[in-house]
Amino acid sequence: MEELKCRKKKRDGRHRDTWDPFQLNPIGAEEERKRICFELGQYLVAVIVGLAVLTSAVIAKGSLLVLSTLASPSSMRSPKEKQFYMLMLVFCLVWPNFLVFVKSLWRCAFKSFVQPNMRTMGIICGIECLVSLGTSVLVLIVMPQFDVLTNLFISGGVCIVSSIMQIAFKLQREKWQILFPICSLFLIIIGYCLLGADYYVRVSSFVDRQSNDCFVYVGVGILSSILVSLCWWENPMQAANNMQDVLTELDGFRDFVFVITSILRIVVIGGVYLMYYVLIQNSIVWSDFNLQKRDWELLQIGLVLFFLQAFCSAACHWFGVVACKIHAVRMSFALPVCCTGPVVLILGLILFLTNAQKLDGAAHGSIIEFCDSLVYLRNKNSTTLVLLEITRSICRTSLNSSYLIWPFSMLALEGVCMWSGFLACTYYVWKIKVQRIERTSQLFVRRLYESAFIDLSLLLNTKMKVARARNQESHDDIENCVIYLCATMWHETYDEMLKILTSMFRLDRYRGDPKEEHKDCFDFECHIYVDDAFMTDKDSGKRLVNDYVTDLIHVIIEVYRVFTNKEPDDMSIIETPYGGRLICVMPEGNMLYIHLKDKALIRNKKRWSQIMYLYYLLGWKGYIVKNPQKITRQNNPCRASLISLDGESFLLPQYDNDTKRKYISDDNTYIMALDGDTDFQPKALILLVDRLRMYDNVGAACGRIHPTGMGPMVWYQKFEYAVGHWLQKTAEHVFGSVLCSPGCFSLFRGSALMDDNVLKRYTTTATRASEYVQYDQGEDRWLCTLLLQQGWRVEYNAASDAYTNSPEEFKEFYNQRRRWGPSTLANTLDLLHSGPETVKRNTSISRLYIFYQMFTVGSSILGPASVSLMVAGAFQFVFKITGTLSIIISVIPPVFYMIVCFVAKPNTQITIAAIMSVLYAFLMTASFFSIIGDMVIQGTFLTPTGLFLVSMTVMYLVTALLHPEEFGMIVYGLMYFICIPSGYLLLTIYSLVNMHIVTWGTRESNKGGGETKKKHNILCDRNCTLCCWDMKIQITQETENLMLQQITGQSAQQTPPLPITNPEVTQQTSLNPKPQSRLDTTKEEDGGGAKKHPTGRKTGAGEKENDFASVGSGDSVGKERISLSTYDDDDEDDDDDGQFYDDPEEREEIPVSDWVQPVKEEFLKKLTYANLKRNLQEQIRYTLRNKNQDDVCEELVLMLTDTLNGELNAVGPEDILTDSQLEELQYALTEQARRILKTNRMGRLEKRVKRAIEKTLIAPQVQKLDEAENDFWVKLLERYLSPIVDVKAHQEEVTRELKSLRNKAVFLYFIVNVLWVVATFFLQAIGSDVLSIEIPKYFPNGTESDEPLKVEPLSLMFLFSFAILLLIQFLAMLYHRIYTLIHVVSYRSSEKDYKERDEDDDDGLVLENQMANGLVITGDDLSMVTT
């Protein structure tokens, strides 16, 4: 209700100014806010992960302590049991090394292998052997000799080397923080001293017959702890920037090192075990490992403890990584891990106290008697074994002393010292700052975890120097990036344009002012490339923009109005060699460029638009930022690239972005490829940026594409897209690399596109038949193929959602897939053909992945035969006919349709396909219910067909549940099922047979045709029939204007015409720019009769007042601005050479083409009375948007609105103001603002308010393209983008080659599918009794039927293979879902929150680049330059 009232209030305000207050409000234009449910979900996930870390760590640590207690020589277990428990301890130490070995071996075998440096590798292997020696001695030899409490406390000493290195290298950011490692070292030493003192008291007090050899084990234990602490030597080293060469070199072959060191560690563990227990103790009886049935309890307890320790230690490590990645370092990582030891102690004491009463010795009065009584319980089955042994171990402490019990406090104090020293050593973990998305290698130094010390291992392994934004000392820091959003338009509708513009303006609001820093560290520009933007008017012969461009202009104005409640402020129009360009500064100051392509000057269609913007943004802009000396305008900051504000000067946004890029590498320059109808949120873009930032080898990333629209075809595509993304794309991402990053929403890395054999190869003009299919029918897939072949990885992010229109008509859908199908097959075959070379170059693609793709390609090729056999099964179920006859019947329709496709026209083919699709849908519906009926008749669903159907249904249902926001897609699954014959049989035939047709097939509209007349000027268009005559009546706007002029007595010749340019001359001039005949301009002396326009032009006495054809000269990336300093008295005495800006009086009008003036008139509507009033109010509010300026802001709005109403009380709401009216209005508004600010003592804001008034009254500018950029475009057109003119002979040759290629492809498909069908047919004909596989038949209750199921081997093999493929994809989806959830939660924790400003703007404005070390250009600096 509040939202309705708010909209009503805004509408009432507009209604007071105009009779047309109604406006569109695109979905998603409202400001984004953090949703409470997401915040609660984020905290819930953090709590769950924290509990998982704590629980798994407690279980892992407790299980190890129990195993060491059961294997202790003082245990009451039999030697056979102790021997088995000791073996389980060995397995616990081996398990993490085995995991690392498998993972590293996989990466070396299927990812990448780098030849190691033997010296570095020898050092690492030596350290790892020492660590493994210390771990195995401490766990296998020392800990069984100690009691359970000492074992719990002694592990805290493994951080001693880390503390020493922190002190030695002075790694603290503040000097006082060195107290932490000093205290840690001091406490650990005290703990060791207390350990020795405690055992001295035990020996002297004869506690539990403690022998003198315990001191040997104490010394060995301390030495072993020191060896174990060497495990994390690399962490202080990398933090101190020591041994950087070795560490950097180690990163290159770390996988191979882990393979070798994990084997060595396992060998050392086994060697220590055998050496001590076989050679020294001689306690191993090998025959005891042959367990009998009576040893089931022993086997059960030992294996359960081993699996608990192994699984929980691995789970604790994984959940710890997750906790860091979701930004819950303190709550879900540091706190649970630090509390692991105390929680284990508390739980042990609780179990001891609560269960001690169950022991028979609990009735004794003293602890000594109680402990002595435990000996008699060893053979009683009523006693819990684990509890008994833990209790017996506690009785080995000073609590069981006959003399003094107080020494037990030394053991407790030892635990406190060890735990406190551990906390002091790892204090830095509580302070780390994690970026939104982090690689595990950026969070942790080692891939390996120590399962025996899982809590200490996690904290000590956490990097001391984690990535921090804008900290240039760290290699893991997040770097600033530039994103170019490039949307290609091809005959989009008004609503489709509304989506993409709304998305871009949302991103502008999310990013905010480009002069300010943003937590996501990015800047962006928006570029829209409009194909087929011009047409030739038949009546006048003028080259004008067509209706698509007119709609686009209206959309820009409408969206700008929705986001700001005013008209666009800064608009520029530039003629270019390829057509034209519109430049718009979006509300927050980010840039929007509209590139209008004339197909008579430049190649049209999407691929050539992509080449156009890639060369412009990566080639040209990259060139000028690397060679600023070659661009004269870039070297002079005192020209139109600067603007004055509050006495300070700064670069305009378009210059600013180019300046920022000087400090940004090509690796951090991103291209966002979009379609003209894509709808997305800023979150979707940032999530893709995160993927490219995290991995340097990722060349492209795509998001989840959602088709939009209405109708059955859209329903089919919704489920098809859902399944494709849920299963296929996730499997490609997990097992290798995504093969296709769709051009409607994909982010590309600049350096990847600029790589060899990528962009240069992408410019290849198709000349052969196969090239037409691969290059032009699916350009996005071909570009990804080029990236993969060069070694780049393509990723998929399921949380990055984008919405795009999908074909709603059957014909449009078939034509779209007619392009996609052959292109997909051609690019996949190309990748498989280059498989061996690609595997060598691309670390993401392995031989197994190539085999997986071969299997999927084979499945797609056999798709028509498989569908035909499925249809045959439907015939057999429904009509109860034999298998052989059903196969014959099922192949007749596809053969008939293939013949139709060869002889009929495409439209006829599609019509017949539509009819056949309906018939097939009825058959599939009947088949679906028949299969269910057959399962009922059989009495079981445990048949191959039934089991496959049920399992596939359950799998899709579970998959949908794991995508809760898309669960509704499951509803369209039935539509997808009944359309399988149409999508996989008829569509395949149609695509193959029509492969020779290389036209686009979609959006083929003549609305913007080059030779069609503009239709938006037609007021009446009727076709009438009079008797046998057909009559056409048409009234145009020109006719109406002529009639009105005749009625009012005006002459049409009174309007000064624009220069009429011949289209041929225009084309020549665009390609070879030379000055045309200039319009006459007059320079008048000061005090003359001409008026000075606020926009910088002069109005002569004989010039019509409402003629706004003023133009100025500017740069290609910047536009002319008038500094407020030009109105100051202090600047009047400046020399001409010292002016910062071109003198407005010296501007000359440049020649313009016919299309410029109509475009300019659309933007001149901002100068109507109604728009001016709204624009002024919003401009003042935006200029004074800080909270402490609210009072003066509202007073200014109120008083300036009254002034405007008073000045324009005689002007209609839709009338455009004349030059004189604008001049008088500006003077009145400026004086009124000066008085108000002076009254409020806010004079320092005067120039800001002046600038706001000027921006309100400024007209759109017509500019000239910079000569250097003009030369670039001319050469680019000549080299790559000149319109293709095919001679008839070449076209005929290409058509002949395409048909030949079509025939070969159809023949291959036909033969392969026929062989499959024939093989199945003969197996059916032979009969199931002769050649079949018998499968036991089970009923749902588990009983076996007497009759086995007989299945053909071919069908069973295909069914089994398809089931395995789906299972693999399902497992990949589960893995991908987990990491998608991690990424989403981490994004939500760092999501931007839109808040009002609390502080005033800085007086100094920065020459914006965050990397520019805070360089500030002030007015004093510029005055020094001018002098």
Side-chain angles (χ1 to χ4, degrees), residues 101 104-105 108 254-264:
F101 171 77
S104 301
L105 183 63
C108 287
R254 191 178 291 270
D255 290 319
F256 182 75
V257 170
F258 278 138
V259 171
I260 303 301
T261 55
S262 57
I263 295 175
L264 290 177

Side-chain angles (χ1 to χ4, degrees), residues 565-585:
N565 201 30
K566 59 188 180 71
E567 306 297 307
D569 293 320
D570 305 302
M571 292 297 307
S572 298
I573 306 171
I574 301 177
E575 290 188 71
T576 62
Y578 57 81
R581 180 188 302 169
L582 309 179
I583 303 178
C584 173
V585 180

Side-chain angles (χ1 to χ4, degrees), residues 24 489 491-501 528 530 532-533 535 545-560 582 594 596 676 1005 1007-1008 1014-1017 1158-1159 1162-1163 1165:
L24 294 175
M489 285 192 174
H491 296 174
E492 271 73 15
T493 64
Y494 187 95
D495 290 336
E496 291 171 342
M497 296 176 185
L498 198 62
K499 292 181 180 180
I500 187 64
L501 264 301
I528 298 178
V530 185
D532 193 18
M535 68 177 185
V545 295
N546 56 27
D547 287 357
Y548 294 108
V549 179
T550 304
D551 288 344
L552 179 60
I553 294 172
H554 292 163
V555 169
I556 293 173
I557 296 174
E558 189 70 32
V559 174
Y560 203 102
L582 309 179
I594 312 295
L596 307 177
S1005 169
K1007 178 181 177 182
K1014 292 177 67 177
K1015 294 185 178 180
H1016 65 274
N1017 288 337
V1159 170
E1162 293 291 339
F1163 293 109
K1165 294 178 182 178

Side-chain angles (χ1 to χ4, degrees), residues 130-257:
L130 290 177
V131 171
S132 182
L133 177 63
T135 304
S136 53
V137 169
L138 183 62
V139 176
L140 302 180
I141 299 176
V142 176
M143 289 179 63
Q145 304 295 329
F146 293 160
D147 60 271
V148 65
L149 294 179
T150 303
N151 290 335
L152 176 62
F153 300 150
I154 196 175
S155 61
V158 300
C159 58
I160 185 170
V161 171
S162 180
S163 299
I164 294 173
M165 296 180 74
Q166 289 185 51
I167 297 171
F169 295 134
K170 298 180 180 180
L171 300 178
Q172 298 73 30
R173 291 189 174 276
E174 299 181 19
K175 291 183 178 180
W176 67 269
Q177 291 180 346
I178 200 173
L179 293 175
F180 285 105
I182 292 176
C183 291
S184 173
L185 181 61
F186 179 71
L187 290 170
I188 292 171
I189 293 175
I190 292 178
Y192 283 143
C193 294
L194 290 172
L195 173 63
D198 179 44
Y199 270 87
Y200 174 78
V201 172
R202 295 189 195 186
V203 172
S204 59
S205 302
F206 304 102
V207 174
D208 196 34
R209 294 175 295 278
Q210 189 73 53
S211 60
N212 291 327
D213 62 350
C214 65
F215 296 112
V216 176
Y217 291 107
V218 170
V220 173
I222 294 174
L223 179 62
S224 299
S225 299
I226 296 174
L227 291 178
V228 173
S229 62
L230 291 174
C231 182
W232 301 280
W233 65 272
E234 192 177 344
N235 198 358
M237 285 292 184
Q238 62 85 25
N241 290 325
N242 288 332
M243 298 177 64
Q244 284 302 311
D245 295 338
V246 175
L247 296 179
T248 304
E249 187 180 29
L250 177 61
D251 289 335
F253 52 85
R254 191 178 291 270
D255 290 319
F256 182 75
V257 170

Side-chain angles (χ1 to χ4, degrees), residues 790-1057:
Q790 284 301 112
W792 295 95
R793 174 175 168 81
V794 181
E795 290 198 346
Y796 164 62
N797 191 311
S800 180
D801 297 297
Y803 300 82
T804 183
N805 282 19
S806 59
E808 298 183 355
E809 301 296 332
F810 190 85
K811 175 182 177 182
E812 189 178 6
F813 172 76
Y814 258 52
N815 282 330
Q816 181 194 67
R817 300 310 169 90
R818 183 253 301 159
R819 292 187 290 110
W820 288 4
S823 172
T824 299
L825 182 62
N827 281 282
T828 306
L829 292 177
D830 183 20
L831 186 64
L832 295 179
H833 177 71
S834 63
E837 187 65 27
T838 304
V839 169
K840 292 179 183 178
R841 289 189 175 187
N842 199 319
T843 58
S844 300
I845 296 180
S846 63
R847 293 176 180 85
L848 287 179
Y849 183 70
I850 293 294
F851 177 77
Y852 167 80
Q853 289 298 334
M854 291 174 62
F855 184 79
T856 56
V857 169
S859 301
S860 64
I861 291 177
L862 291 176
S866 302
V867 173
S868 298
L869 294 176
M870 185 174 65
V871 172
F875 278 120
Q876 193 173 358
F877 277 125
V878 176
F879 301 107
K880 306 300 180 184
I881 59 179
T882 62
T884 53
L885 182 59
S886 63
I887 292 176
I888 294 174
I889 296 175
S890 66
V891 298
I892 293 176
V895 172
F896 163 75
Y897 184 65
M898 186 168 64
I899 296 173
V900 169
C901 288
F902 271 103
V903 299
K905 295 181 178 180
N907 288 341
T908 306
Q909 300 171 29
I910 293 176
T911 303
I912 295 176
I915 297 173
M916 295 179 67
S917 298
V918 174
L919 298 178
Y920 270 127
F922 286 124
L923 181 62
M924 292 300 294
T925 304
S927 173
F928 176 74
F929 290 106
S930 298
I931 293 174
I932 297 176
D934 181 68
M935 287 189 290
V936 174
I937 295 173
Q938 294 283 345
T940 179
F941 65 88
L942 299 177
T943 63
T945 305
L947 195 61
F948 178 76
L949 181 64
V950 171
S951 60
M952 189 172 63
T953 303
V954 171
M955 186 187 69
Y956 281 141
L957 187 62
V958 172
T959 303
L961 287 172
L962 293 174
H963 297 76
E965 293 185 352
E966 305 173 34
F967 182 76
M969 298 294 106
I970 201 70
V971 177
Y972 305 115
L974 183 60
M975 180 71 186
Y976 180 82
F977 176 78
I978 65 176
C979 290
I980 285 178
S982 177
Y984 290 89
L985 178 62
L986 302 180
L987 181 57
T988 302
I989 295 174
Y990 176 78
S991 301
L992 287 173
V993 177
N994 292 278
M995 187 187 296
H996 63 287
I997 302 176
V998 293
T999 57
W1000 207 248
T1002 55
R1003 299 185 186 272
E1004 298 289 349
S1005 169
N1006 63 353
K1007 178 181 177 182
E1011 303 302 326
T1012 58
K1013 187 175 179 180
K1014 292 177 67 177
K1015 294 185 178 180
H1016 65 274
N1017 288 337
I1018 298 176
L1019 301 178
C1020 178
D1021 190 4
R1022 297 290 180 88
N1023 293 317
C1024 305
T1025 302
L1026 182 61
C1027 296
C1028 60
W1029 298 93
D1030 293 332
M1031 303 179 62
K1032 183 177 182 66
I1033 303 175
Q1034 191 176 85
I1035 301 177
T1036 64
Q1037 183 72 44
E1038 290 82 354
T1039 307
E1040 184 192 43
N1041 291 342
L1042 183 60
M1043 294 169 60
L1044 292 174
Q1045 290 168 1
Q1046 291 175 351
I1047 293 173
T1048 57
Q1050 296 179 354
S1051 173
Q1053 283 76 17
Q1054 289 178 341
T1055 303

